[in-house]
Amino acid sequence: MRFRTGIVNVVTFRRIIQTVGKIQKKVVMRLGQSEVRIICNSDEGGVQVWSTIRVLALFEDYRVESKSGNEIALLLDTDALEQVLHSAPGNEEVVMKLAKKNDVCVLNFQIFGNSRMGRRLTVSHDVRTEVLRPGELERLKEPMCPEPDVHTLLPPLGKMRTIAEKLRGITDIVAVHANHSGQFSFSAATESIKVEVEWENLTNPVIGENDPSQEAEERAPVDKQRMFAVLLRTRSLLKFLNAHTVSNTQTIACICNRHCMIFYVYIGEAADSGGVLTFYLPAVLDD
């Protein structure tokens, strides 16, 4: 079993780890031949993250070898990993490899840089890890959700997070609404106050599950004004909105009416992205 790579985009890698670390402190990182998958699936609020990242978006000289189809799955502590990546904020060369020290599996990081005197320096860090067996991976199942009722291309997540922070001071539950006319809203209410923030003229993208070969007259007519809704825990929504540090281009929100919300956070441009972080937020059931 071997794994070694250079990290060419340390900042983005750190931001991804920082984002998923807000959901769960222990995450699974599956190292495949062309993709790296980072999985969070046991948040106490039911939030899950299933991310797929292209190797070339973050790494170079990438090599992974194992008897399990040349795939290795590691259980990692996000705080420890983020701390190591934070120690290499500049243009330093960073090499990450799987190693064993004192019979303990570690991810070893070698950071190469120069001193103020121009001397070549190497700093080494170890992050303890656990290699998961194939049987343990089989128990990891991505959530089964119904087909979304509406998809919306969201405004910048940083601005949405500022609004959600203010709503947290009102209630623990936020109602999210969207329709096929580009309307999207957050609302919060108590017995004495109601606050609603609405965005208009947003884009409703067509996602792959719609069959483009289907004749237009065969498709069910869409009521563009109908609002689809889901109730979310404010805390869960804010955990997702920490992804504003990763997304500077496109994020698509999908509402499965009264069931859940799915968010696709693209790394880079959606048409040629380096990957996507998929967040699943379960609905709070109203009586």
Side-chain angles (χ1 to χ4, degrees), residues 3-278:
F3 170 68
R4 179 186 176 93
T5 187
I7 306 176
V8 294
N9 199 335
V10 175
V11 173
T12 298
F13 190 27
R14 175 172 58 82
R15 287 175 177 173
I16 292 171
I17 296 301
Q18 183 181 47
T19 297
V20 297
K22 299 293 185 180
I23 307 296
Q24 185 177 317
K25 293 304 180 184
K26 291 284 188 178
V27 301
V28 174
M29 185 160 67
R30 297 182 68 166
L31 307 167
Q33 289 290 290
S34 60
E35 296 176 338
V36 173
R37 299 182 180 183
I38 299 176
I39 302 168
C40 306
N41 73 327
S42 62
D43 169 70
E44 60 183 13
V47 180
Q48 297 194 38
V49 183
W50 292 73
S51 59
T52 302
I53 304 161
R54 290 169 49 197
V55 164
L56 294 179
L58 298 179
F59 308 113
E60 65 179 0
D61 299 327
Y62 180 94
R63 184 179 69 176
V64 56
E65 299 175 5
S66 77
K67 295 181 180 179
S68 300
N70 290 326
E71 180 180 88
I72 300 173
L74 306 175
L75 184 64
L76 292 161
D77 181 274
T78 56
D79 286 342
L81 185 53
E82 182 189 348
Q83 185 176 1
V84 170
L85 295 172
H86 190 74
S87 68
N91 297 320
E92 292 90 344
E93 178 187 353
V94 181
V95 173
M96 175 174 64
K97 63 181 179 180
L98 187 63
K100 182 170 283 190
K101 296 188 176 181
N102 298 321
D103 292 327
V104 175
C105 284
V106 298
L107 267 183
N108 174 258
F109 293 81
Q110 290 184 310
I111 303 171
F112 302 92
N114 296 310
S115 70
R116 294 181 180 179
M117 302 298 293
R119 295 178 180 176
R120 187 69 167 165
L121 297 176
T122 302
V123 179
S124 181
H125 298 277
D126 290 328
V127 174
R128 293 188 62 168
T129 184
E130 178 184 343
V131 178
L132 300 182
R133 296 185 294 273
E136 294 173 295
L137 284 179
E138 290 178 0
R139 292 195 291 269
L140 295 176
K141 301 294 183 181
E142 196 162 356
M144 297 292 292
C145 300
E147 291 290 337
D149 296 287
V150 61
H151 305 83
T152 304
L153 184 61
L154 294 181
L157 297 187
K159 294 181 179 180
M160 299 185 76
R161 189 178 189 281
T162 300
I163 293 169
E165 283 279 10
K166 294 179 180 179
L167 295 180
R168 182 171 61 174
I170 299 173
T171 180
D172 294 332
I173 305 294
V174 173
V176 183
H177 295 80
N179 65 14
H180 288 272
S181 291
Q183 294 177 300
F184 186 92
S185 69
F186 287 161
S187 62
T190 65
E191 293 182 356
S192 58
I193 188 172
K194 181 177 180 180
V195 177
E196 183 173 12
V197 180
E198 183 177 291
W199 291 265
E200 296 181 337
N201 301 317
L202 300 178
T203 300
N204 296 113
V206 176
I207 305 298
E209 68 265 10
N210 295 318
D211 185 359
S213 65
Q214 188 179 18
E215 294 296 333
E217 59 268 20
E218 296 178 1
R219 300 175 188 168
V222 175
D223 180 356
K224 291 190 174 183
Q225 301 304 317
R226 178 187 173 185
M227 282 290 186
F228 297 96
V230 66
L231 297 178
L232 300 177
R233 298 192 184 281
T234 312
R235 181 180 178 186
S236 296
L237 179 61
L238 284 168
K239 284 184 176 182
F240 152 68
L241 288 170
N242 282 307
H244 75 91
T245 60
V246 175
S247 174
N248 56 7
T249 53
Q250 293 189 359
T251 298
I252 295 175
C254 310
I255 292 182
C256 301
N257 197 49
R258 300 186 64 185
H259 182 85
C260 72
M261 281 202 75
I262 306 169
F263 296 95
Y264 298 108
V265 180
Y266 290 93
I267 303 169
E269 296 293 336
D272 187 29
S273 73
V276 60
L277 277 64
T278 304

